[in-house]
């Protein structure tokens, strides 16, 4: 079996690493060197416990909460910055909630000729909310539909209206 799926115990993480909540960085306890991880465009992975690799945010969540994320749950960056690993920026969510916290999924209003079209995705299907004269009206219809279906939305979108 591959080492990449091995999750070290939380006690091991606490013993070997320290975490700075103000900067969001891990340090080795033995030499106080920061763990940089593998930074690419979309994710930030960290090698712990030999050759096992885990997303940096998952390791931070585990270190702070004392448990690995529940099976089927994901760690979401609230501010959408995958390199902001501060503990208050991370939350455990379902895949659906994680997808809703993207810029693309948040708009709900699309240009359609001279008018604006609003739609919402519910249970994997697109539902039309109608055509509107302005983008502001289309976004208002989208936010009303989000509220009626119990979806969470970001306050910055409401402020943009």
């Amino acid at each position: 079996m591959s080492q990449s799926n091995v999750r070290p115990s939380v006690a091991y993480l606490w013993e070997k690493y320290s975490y700075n909540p103000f900067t969001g960085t891990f340090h080795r306890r033995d030499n106080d060197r920061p763990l940089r991880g593998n930074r690419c465009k979309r994710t930030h992975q960290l090698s712990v416990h030999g050759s096992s690799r885990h997303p940096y945010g998952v390791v931070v969540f585990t270190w702070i909460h004392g448990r690995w994320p529940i099976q089927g749950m994901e760690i979401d960056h609230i501010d959408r910055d995958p390199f902001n690993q501060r503990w208050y920026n991370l939350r455990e969510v379902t895949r659906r909630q994680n997808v809703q916290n993207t810029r693309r999924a948040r708009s709900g209003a699309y240009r359609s000729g001279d008018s604006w079209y609003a739609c919402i995705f519910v249970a994997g299907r697109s539902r039309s909310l109608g055509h509107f004269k302005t983008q502001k009206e289309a976004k208002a219809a989208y936010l009303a539909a989000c509220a009626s279906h119990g979806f969470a939305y970001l306050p910055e979108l409401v402020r943009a209206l």
Side-chain angles (χ1 to χ4, degrees), residues 17 23 29 33 75 84 92 95 105 117 158:
Y17 306 108
T23 62
R29 287 194 189 271
R33 291 176 62 191
I75 301 302
N84 182 0
E92 188 176 25
R95 176 73 179 147
Y117 173 75
V158 177

Side-chain angles (χ1 to χ4, degrees), residues 49-119:
H49 198 259
S51 63
S52 64
R53 293 183 130 182
H54 302 284
Y56 205 105
V58 171
V59 178
V60 169
F61 179 88
T62 302
W63 199 92
I64 292 291
H65 292 280
R67 65 174 176 82
W68 286 91
I70 298 170
Q71 182 82 21
M73 299 293 275
E74 298 179 359
I75 301 302
D76 180 38
H77 293 81
I78 296 169
D79 69 354
R80 302 182 193 133
D81 179 7
F83 300 109
N84 182 0
Q85 307 297 346
R86 293 177 180 92
W87 66 271
Y88 57 82
N89 187 44
L90 303 173
R91 62 181 175 175
E92 188 176 25
V93 296
T94 62
R95 176 73 179 147
R96 178 179 177 183
Q97 291 168 324
N98 198 2
V99 169
Q100 285 178 341
N101 190 24
T102 62
R103 292 183 199 279
R104 185 174 178 153
R106 286 289 173 182
S107 67
Y110 307 96
R111 191 91 158 128
S112 175
D114 292 338
S115 63
W116 287 85
Y117 173 75
C119 69

Side-chain angles (χ1 to χ4, degrees), residues 19-39:
Y19 174 71
N20 184 338
F22 300 109
T23 62
T25 58
F26 272 108
H27 293 269
R28 293 178 56 109
R29 287 194 189 271
D30 58 355
N31 60 12
D32 200 36
R33 291 176 62 191
L35 297 177
R36 298 186 183 212
N38 177 20
R39 290 179 71 118

Side-chain angles (χ1 to χ4, degrees), residues 33-46:
R33 291 176 62 191
L35 297 177
R36 298 186 183 212
N38 177 20
R39 290 179 71 118
C40 66
K41 290 182 181 178
R42 301 192 75 196
T43 184
H44 191 178
Q45 292 196 346
L46 186 63

